[in-house]
């Protein structure tokens, strides 16, 4: 019977076959389950918790319907969720291929790409906040370099690909920096670089767009036990995400950290586009490494994210653990194959340390 076929709520058309165990592996489940959770929230008339930034780049939180996040009714008959797929409309801004994104939503009626998001399924609390009061719990968010590429493209899209319009924000700075690969040449202009990005935020503040889908799953402190209210979905706009890595407007920057480097990457991508009508993201990321690995753009811990995300839904997520069975369907949980980690086994076996155990 159909109800016995493993599947996830709301994902009826996609490039993953949930009847097969491969679709339930860690890497695939961590992006497909969040989409199903978003569809489930939508079915219950619950919006995403949307994190944006005002004209002064101060964080703001408001509800946003998932139909606006995905640019379509996510439960519509013509919706196709294409995982690990590039968002082709950004190709015109890039030299080389558009990097794959966690999910791209496609309209099957006309094969049009409707939206695309990186997905961050994050544990609440993280290590930096697990000993704090619940209202201070936060999640760690690790962002890939490819997300900075998508961020730059989203900024360019605000100006409909008009390189001249962007040049007003970049020209003065690019005229001063002769060698972008050397930290000593770039550091004196970090505040100018950040100021230019902030000017774009002020100029196009009413046209922010979602870039990260950030579901949270809450446990009882640091344990592996789910809280009663355990699931919710946040979404970050392309301006809201700046609060995760941009230096303070009054900060004195003496070295290039991962966070500062991400700001430099973003600006350089915009600057190159304003000069050439395209930018080479891979080259920028590779050449502007500043002696730090490029495996990730940056990571921001729960102390910092709590300051931006704090709200009732972070303290008490809206979906209860008993509702997970409404999202994972047809016995799909039996196909899950979680990673076995020795430290986790020891942590969850406290009897190993009983005095009488040999």
């Amino acid at each position: 019977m159909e109800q016995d076929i493993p599947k996830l709520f709301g994902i009826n058309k996609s490039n993953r076959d949930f009847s097969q165990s491969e679709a339930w592996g860690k890497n695939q489940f961590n992006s497909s389950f969040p989409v199903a959770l978003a569809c489930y929230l939508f079915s219950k008339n619950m919006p995403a918790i949307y994190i944006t930034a005002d004209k002064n780049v101060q964080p703001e939180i408001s509800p946003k319907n998932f139909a606006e996040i995905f640019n379509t009714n996510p439960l519509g008959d013509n919706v196709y969720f294409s995982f690990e797929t590039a968002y082709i409309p950004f190709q015109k801004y890039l030299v080389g291929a558009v990097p794959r994104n966690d999910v791209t939503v496609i309209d099957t009626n006309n094969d049009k790409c409707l939206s695309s998001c990186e997905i961050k399924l994050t544990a609440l609390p993280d290590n930096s906040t697990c000993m704090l009061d619940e209202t201070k719990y936060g999640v760690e968010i690790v962002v890939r370099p490819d997300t900075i590429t998508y961020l730059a493209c989203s900024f360019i899209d605000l100006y409909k690909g008009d390189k001249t319009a962007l040049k007003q924000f970049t020209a003065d700075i690019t005229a001063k920096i002769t060698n972008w690969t050397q930290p000593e040449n770039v550091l004196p202009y970090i505040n100018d670089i950040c100021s230019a990005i902030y000017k774009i935020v002020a100029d196009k503040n009413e046209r922010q767009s979602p870039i990260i889908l950030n579901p949270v799953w809450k446990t009882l402190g640091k344990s592996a036990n789910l809280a009663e209210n355990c699931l919710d979905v946040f979404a970050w706009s392309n301006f809201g995400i700046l609060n995760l890595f941009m230096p303070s407007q009054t900060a004195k920057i003496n070295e290039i950290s991962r966070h500062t480097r991400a700001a430099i990457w973003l600006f350089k991508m915009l600057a190159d586009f304003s000069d050439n009508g395209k930018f080479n993201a891979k080259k920028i990321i590779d050449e502007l490494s500043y002696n730090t690995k490029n495996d990730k753009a940056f990571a921001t811990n729960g102390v910092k994210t709590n300051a931006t995300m704090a709200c009732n839904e972070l303290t008490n997520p809206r979906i209860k653990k008993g509702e997970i069975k409404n999202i994972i369907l047809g016995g799909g949980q039996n196909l899950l194959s979680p990673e076995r980690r020795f430290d986790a086994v020891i942590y969850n076996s406290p009897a190993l340390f009983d005095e009488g155990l040999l």
Side-chain angles (χ1 to χ4, degrees):
M1 296 177 64
E2 185 178 350
Q3 60 263 35
D4 296 324
I5 298 175
K7 59 184 179 179
L8 287 166
F9 182 91
I11 306 180
N12 299 315
K13 296 178 182 178
S14 82
N15 57 343
R16 289 181 176 168
D17 182 355
F18 295 105
S19 69
Q20 303 299 312
S21 59
E22 292 80 9
W24 297 86
K26 173 187 173 184
N27 291 335
Q28 294 195 27
F29 181 74
N30 283 356
S31 57
S32 53
F33 177 81
V35 171
L37 175 59
C39 289
Y40 181 71
L41 281 162
F42 178 78
S43 75
K44 294 173 68 71
N45 295 316
M46 294 180 177
I49 310 303
Y50 192 41
I51 303 169
T52 57
D54 66 15
K55 290 188 175 183
N56 296 311
V57 205
Q58 295 303 303
E60 295 185 328
I61 295 179
S62 60
K64 193 172 185 69
N65 193 291
F66 284 101
E68 295 178 282
I69 300 287
F70 293 124
N71 276 332
T72 188
N73 174 355
L75 299 179
D77 293 336
N78 60 325
V79 172
Y80 186 93
F81 295 106
S82 194
F83 296 96
E84 293 294 323
T85 299
Y87 184 65
I88 297 304
F90 283 166
Q91 182 62 71
K92 57 185 175 289
Y93 304 141
L94 289 163
V95 174
V98 182
R100 293 181 298 174
N101 213 1
D102 285 327
V103 65
T104 294
V105 182
I106 298 171
D107 186 335
T108 58
N109 286 340
N110 54 22
D111 292 332
K112 181 181 179 181
C113 290
L114 301 173
S115 61
S116 192
C117 285
E118 180 175 8
I119 295 175
K120 293 298 174 190
L121 178 60
T122 52
L124 179 73
D126 74 338
N127 282 336
S128 73
T129 59
C130 62
M131 303 304 292
L132 304 178
D133 182 83
E134 278 188 286
T135 60
K136 298 296 183 183
Y137 280 1
V139 299
E140 181 184 41
I141 297 179
V142 181
V143 170
R144 302 175 301 157
D146 285 347
T147 302
I148 307 302
T149 301
Y150 270 85
L151 183 59
C153 287
S154 76
F155 274 45
I156 294 166
D157 220 39
L158 293 171
Y159 293 92
K160 299 180 180 179
D162 183 352
K163 66 177 186 176
T164 304
L166 274 167
K167 205 172 185 67
Q168 64 179 306
F169 304 104
T170 62
D172 289 347
I173 300 167
T174 54
K176 298 172 183 175
I177 302 177
T178 56
N179 187 342
W180 285 85
T181 65
Q182 299 303 310
E184 61 271 20
N185 289 337
V186 180
L187 275 169
Y189 303 102
I190 293 296
N191 288 334
D192 292 337
I193 286 170
C194 294
S195 178
I197 294 170
Y198 294 145
K199 287 176 182 175
I200 294 173
V201 172
D203 188 44
K204 294 293 185 180
N205 197 258
E206 302 304 316
R207 295 191 54 214
Q208 300 179 52
S209 58
I211 192 168
I212 290 179
L213 199 65
N214 179 201
V216 300
W217 54 281
K218 184 180 180 181
T219 57
L220 299 175
K222 197 180 178 181
S223 77
N225 299 313
L226 286 172
E228 179 63 28
N229 288 68
C230 62
L231 290 168
D232 218 316
V233 178
F234 290 73
W236 295 80
S237 80
N238 54 344
F239 291 171
I241 191 182
L242 298 178
N243 281 295
L244 292 178
F245 69 91
M246 291 286 289
S248 162
Q249 297 187 52
T250 59
K252 292 184 178 180
I253 309 299
N254 299 314
E255 62 179 3
I256 298 179
S257 65
R258 284 185 187 268
H259 292 78
T260 303
R261 184 182 67 177
I264 296 169
W265 284 350
L266 172 59
F267 178 84
K268 188 63 163 66
M269 291 173 185
L270 299 177
D272 282 6
F273 180 85
S274 71
D275 287 337
N276 308 311
K278 289 186 178 182
F279 68 92
N280 189 327
K282 185 178 186 304
K283 183 178 180 182
I284 290 169
I285 291 167
D286 287 346
E287 292 186 354
L288 277 57
S289 66
Y290 304 119
N291 300 314
T292 302
K293 289 183 179 180
N294 288 341
D295 55 327
K296 59 186 176 185
F298 62 86
T300 301
N301 70 20
V303 174
K304 179 71 180 289
T305 61
N306 174 274
T308 303
M309 299 172 69
C311 60
N312 290 334
E313 291 79 6
L314 191 67
T315 304
N316 289 296
R318 291 169 291 175
I319 300 303
K320 297 180 181 294
K321 62 183 180 181
E323 295 178 80
I324 293 174
K325 64 180 179 294
N326 299 332
I327 304 170
I328 298 175
L329 307 170
Q333 71 277 7
N334 298 316
L335 297 180
L336 290 170
S337 183
E339 183 179 284
R340 288 193 298 167
R341 285 182 38 164
F342 189 52
D343 58 348
V345 171
I346 292 175
Y347 182 82
N348 288 300
S349 306
L352 290 173
F353 296 89
D354 291 348
E355 287 294 330
L357 189 68
L358 293 177

